[in-house]
Each structure stands twice: as C-alpha cells, then as structure tokens.
Amino acid sequence: AETEYNFRVKAFNGSWGAFSNIVTGDTAPNDPFFDPTVHSAFNLGGAIDSAIVAIEAGAVITLTNATYPSGTTLTTLVNAGDTYRFTSVLNDHLSSDKEFFVAGRLGSGNDNKKGNMVWSTSSWAGKDFIFNGNRNPPHKVNVHAFEATDVEVFKAGVSQSSVTLAAGDNHTFSLGSNGGYELTSTGLIIGFIYSTQSSRVVDPHPLMPSSTSLLGIPSRDAKVSTTITSNPYSGV
C-alpha cells in the first residue's frame, strides 16, 4: 500500500529487444474504500437523507462509520432496481460485492434550499483537482484524506488556504468568491463542493481528479435517484 512502482517491459523472440519506456504507478492506501473486490461509496457531501438503488440483484449493503467501525449490514436489496432509504451522516461508507448507486440530500427548510448529494467513489480519489465556483458563494469544499497529506487551494495561481491532515481526517475550505480553483494534495484524497449563500445548498457535486485526456465523462447510460416523487429533471 502507498508505494510507487516502476515497470518496464523487454521482449524476447530469439534475441532480446530494447526495454520499453518506464511506466510508473502508485498503489492505493490500505483502506477498505479501495478494496478492488467490492463496490464502495463515501458520503463526503454530508447528505442527511439518502437512498440506495440496486443495480444488481442480491446486493448486501454494509455500512461502516464511527458507530460501526467494523461494519454492519444496513440492508439487503433482493432484486435489481430495489431501493432503500435511510438517515445518513458525513463519512458514512457503504460497500457491497454487487453494484449499487446512492445519493442523498443536505439542507433544511424548503426543498429549494436543499441540495442533492451524489456519494463519492474510489475512482474519484486523486491528488489534483480543478473546479469552478459559479454562484452563491461561499463555496464549501470538503476533503477527506486517506493518508497523511498537505492540501492547498489556489485561485489564478495564488494560494487561498492550506491545511495538513492525518489519514482519516476531514477539512472544509470556505471560498468566498466565484472563479476557477485548483486543489492540490501530497497524498490521496477525495473532494466535494457545494455553495451555501442564504442557507441554501447549491450546485453540489464531487470533485473529479484532473485529466489532460478527458473532457466530460463519456457514457452510454447514467443513473439518477431522488427521494421526492414527481421531481422534475432537465438533462443536457
């Protein structure tokens, strides 16, 4: 865990070829969130009311948090498409050997003051994130560290705030103005942003690791969830 490896390949067909260019890769921290044998989701947005939908039949959902550090069975979804609604807290971790999707809501008062929170997955962990804050500042940026790390937020190349975190720690940055930001970390983290002007929860979404080869998320399908019936959606 948490180790950098260097790989190179040399071919043989009667005689040896040249070595390939060296490729580097880092192993993930020794944390259940990165267990490759299960599907995981992490409540970094802080949703207080969440719902799960089973993508595959027979999904036994395990909940791990401060109350259940060793994990407990939250529910079993017998059929694909079955749902389960529950009260959730920040840092809840769900896992199952079957595929599932989970999202929730944060906020109080009228529905137009609440935000829909998609739970984070391990594939969204990284060390560098670029994102925008477009409206209703201050923008709250939650980060969770999976290893000891230094985390810093920049705007137009100028440092806005920084923090040192131990493995398992959370921190919330409060960014007071709109604009483009970069979040950098020396260790592996996940991030989540939402905006909070006038006690609202606006534009909540997980942060995606920076990429020079990917614009958007190409896909042939998408999964959505809601805890409110007759909830209108507009999709582009």
Side-chain angles (χ1 to χ4, degrees):
E2 301 175 67
T3 304
E4 181 183 282
Y5 291 88
N6 297 316
F7 301 92
R8 62 181 183 171
V9 177
K10 193 173 186 180
F12 179 80
N13 185 15
S15 61
W16 287 104
F19 276 114
S20 67
N21 292 332
I22 293 177
V23 178
T24 63
D26 294 330
T27 52
N30 185 17
D31 187 287
F33 188 59
F34 298 98
D35 185 342
T37 66
V38 299
H39 301 276
S40 292
F42 193 96
N43 183 17
L44 185 59
I48 59 175
D49 179 22
S50 296
I52 307 166
V53 57
I55 308 302
E56 297 180 79
V60 179
I61 308 295
T62 299
L63 168 67
T64 306
N65 56 21
T67 304
Y68 303 104
S70 299
T72 185
T73 299
L74 178 66
T75 186
T76 298
L77 301 173
V78 177
N79 303 301
D82 284 353
T83 62
Y84 179 78
R85 184 174 177 176
F86 65 105
T87 299
S88 53
V89 298
L90 179 70
N91 287 4
D92 274 352
H93 171 209
L94 299 182
S95 60
S96 175
D97 63 346
K98 305 293 185 180
E99 193 172 2
F100 65 94
F101 175 78
V102 57
R105 304 200 82 191
L106 177 66
S108 59
N110 297 332
D111 280 343
N112 63 3
K113 290 192 173 184
K114 298 177 181 178
N116 297 313
M117 306 299 215
V118 175
W119 288 36
S120 299
T121 71
S122 58
S123 62
W124 298 341
K127 296 182 179 181
D128 187 73
F129 306 82
I130 296 175
F131 60 95
N132 292 323
N134 295 323
R135 59 173 181 153
N136 293 101
H139 311 296
K140 302 295 185 179
V141 179
N142 292 343
V143 297
H144 178 84
F146 294 99
E147 53 188 326
T149 184
D150 297 319
V151 186
E152 192 164 9
V153 179
F154 296 87
K155 181 181 181 183
V158 178
S159 177
Q160 305 295 300
S161 185
S162 62
V163 66
T164 297
L165 301 176
D169 281 355
N170 281 38
H171 181 75
T172 300
F173 294 99
S174 184
L175 307 177
S177 60
N178 293 334
Y181 292 91
E182 182 179 13
L183 177 72
T184 65
S185 174
T186 57
L188 204 61
I189 63 172
I190 50 176
F192 197 101
I193 183 173
Y194 58 93
S195 306
T196 59
Q197 191 178 85
S198 302
S199 301
R200 299 176 65 198
V201 177
V202 177
D203 300 337
H205 58 276
L207 299 183
M208 300 293 155
S210 301
S211 172
T212 58
S213 60
L214 183 66
L215 295 176
I217 309 296
S219 178
R220 293 183 177 180
D221 58 74
K223 307 295 190 297
V224 296
S225 176
T226 177
T227 60
I228 305 298
T229 58
S230 303
N231 209 12
Y233 280 91
S234 297
V236 178

